[in-house]
Amino acid sequence: MKVVFGNQRDRAKMIDPALLKPIADELHATLIESNYMDSARSNAAAHLATAKSLGYDKVAPIDILDAEKEIAIPVHNGYHLRNFITGSHLADYDTLVSIVRFKGHNLQRYSGATKNLSIWLGTARGACQVHSAGVVTDYYHPSSPKGTSESMADAVSAALDYKKGRWVFINIINALKPVDGCRGTADRPDLGIVASTDPIAADRAALDIVYGLTSDPELRKEWEREHSVDVLDYAERKGLGSKAYRLQKID
């Protein structure tokens, strides 16, 4: 299960480990994640210690994908990237579940399946690669918002191609307090869970649920611009999924 452990500072934004336990038990899962740029997750030892401090070790075994080395998986017909850098342990898994706490007003970019398969699946170098639209891999160098969104779509395509037909996507939309500067937001209640084999549909549905909390169409457009929902347009153009979906309730 591809998750994001976060750190103690962001604890309020991360998935409650108790929510992961039933599905992890059912799937006999391993929790997988890559190292990142902050000190709490910059190397495998620190990252594992952080995950344990947050209680994720009580859910399932943990595997830091780049604990040993990195791999560069190919990007076909990319907007900017020719490859995407992730951890070598990704090769060890044949069935993968992306599971995230969906965030619409808590980070600069909304976070769902597309982010979990790009910036958060990449190693620190892979994340730099995506943020910079392929310009650098050794330090944070942000591209234009459009360039980063296009590069996220490139990384998603690499992940999907590398494990073709082996992904499932789950967005948990539970209660969360907005912490950005968007006008018109309010604390959100528990809204449910969206699951799909299509990452674009899963994110579009979750965004419609979260941003549908306003009845003001102009305010909604403002939110979508602020949180870079255009990544779904670039991903759809690459044939990675569809923004069209039909919700089917499962009791």
Side-chain angles (χ1 to χ4, degrees):
M1 286 169 33
K2 172 61 183 75
V3 297
V4 181
F5 299 129
N7 53 49
Q8 289 287 354
R9 183 185 68 249
D10 294 328
R11 186 171 194 156
K13 292 186 261 184
M14 309 319 298
I15 300 176
D16 182 345
L19 291 178
L20 296 177
K21 181 66 172 170
I23 189 171
D25 288 347
E26 179 70 22
L27 299 176
H28 305 290
T30 296
L31 304 185
I32 62 172
E33 172 66 311
S34 297
N35 288 316
Y36 199 59
M37 289 177 277
D38 65 67
S39 59
R41 298 176 288 171
S42 62
N43 60 75
H47 202 165
L48 185 59
T50 296
K52 288 181 176 180
S53 74
L54 295 168
Y56 289 102
D57 60 320
K58 305 297 192 300
V59 175
I62 294 171
D63 184 8
I64 305 302
L65 295 178
D66 53 327
E68 295 177 275
K69 61 181 180 179
E70 299 174 323
I71 54 173
I73 57 179
V75 174
H76 302 292
N77 301 314
Y79 292 109
H80 302 281
L81 306 186
R82 295 183 179 180
N83 60 61
F84 173 49
I85 302 170
T86 185
S88 63
H89 292 186
L90 186 63
D92 298 337
Y93 300 94
D94 62 2
T95 301
L96 299 111
V97 178
S98 162
I99 182 164
V100 297
R101 188 178 190 186
F102 191 87
K103 293 177 278 293
H105 288 291
N106 299 85
L107 297 169
Q108 183 178 6
R109 289 177 169 269
Y110 89 87
S111 57
T114 55
K115 195 167 186 180
N116 204 24
L117 265 66
S118 57
I119 291 170
W120 287 336
L121 183 63
T123 64
R125 295 196 328 125
C128 290
Q129 185 184 32
V130 172
H131 279 299
S132 70
V135 174
V136 299
T137 60
D138 53 350
Y139 61 94
Y140 179 68
H141 178 75
S143 174
S144 66
K146 179 176 182 288
T148 299
S149 291
E150 290 172 334
S151 298
M152 287 177 67
D154 286 344
V156 171
S157 72
L160 294 179
D161 285 344
Y162 188 60
K163 298 292 180 178
K164 203 169 189 68
R166 309 304 300 178
W167 284 95
V168 173
F169 307 95
I170 299 174
N171 288 328
I172 299 174
I173 319 172
N174 57 353
L176 196 60
K177 182 180 181 62
V179 295
D180 62 6
C182 287
R183 65 185 182 94
T185 60
D187 291 1
R188 97 178 174 210
D190 290 336
L191 295 172
I193 296 171
V194 173
S196 178
T197 56
D198 180 338
I200 311 311
D203 276 8
R204 184 67 265 179
L207 282 162
D208 287 345
I209 291 168
V210 173
Y211 291 167
L213 293 175
T214 178
S215 59
D216 182 341
E218 291 305 313
L219 181 57
R220 179 168 173 164
K221 289 178 184 177
E222 185 179 309
W223 290 352
E224 297 209 354
R225 285 193 301 270
E226 178 67 22
H227 294 289
S228 301
V229 175
D230 61 347
V231 64
L232 297 181
D233 297 325
Y234 302 123
E236 187 177 52
R237 288 172 200 168
K238 286 180 68 68
L240 307 182
S242 174
K243 291 183 295 181
Y245 62 87
R246 178 173 61 88
L247 288 177
Q248 182 174 341
K249 185 176 180 180
I250 300 174
D251 296 321

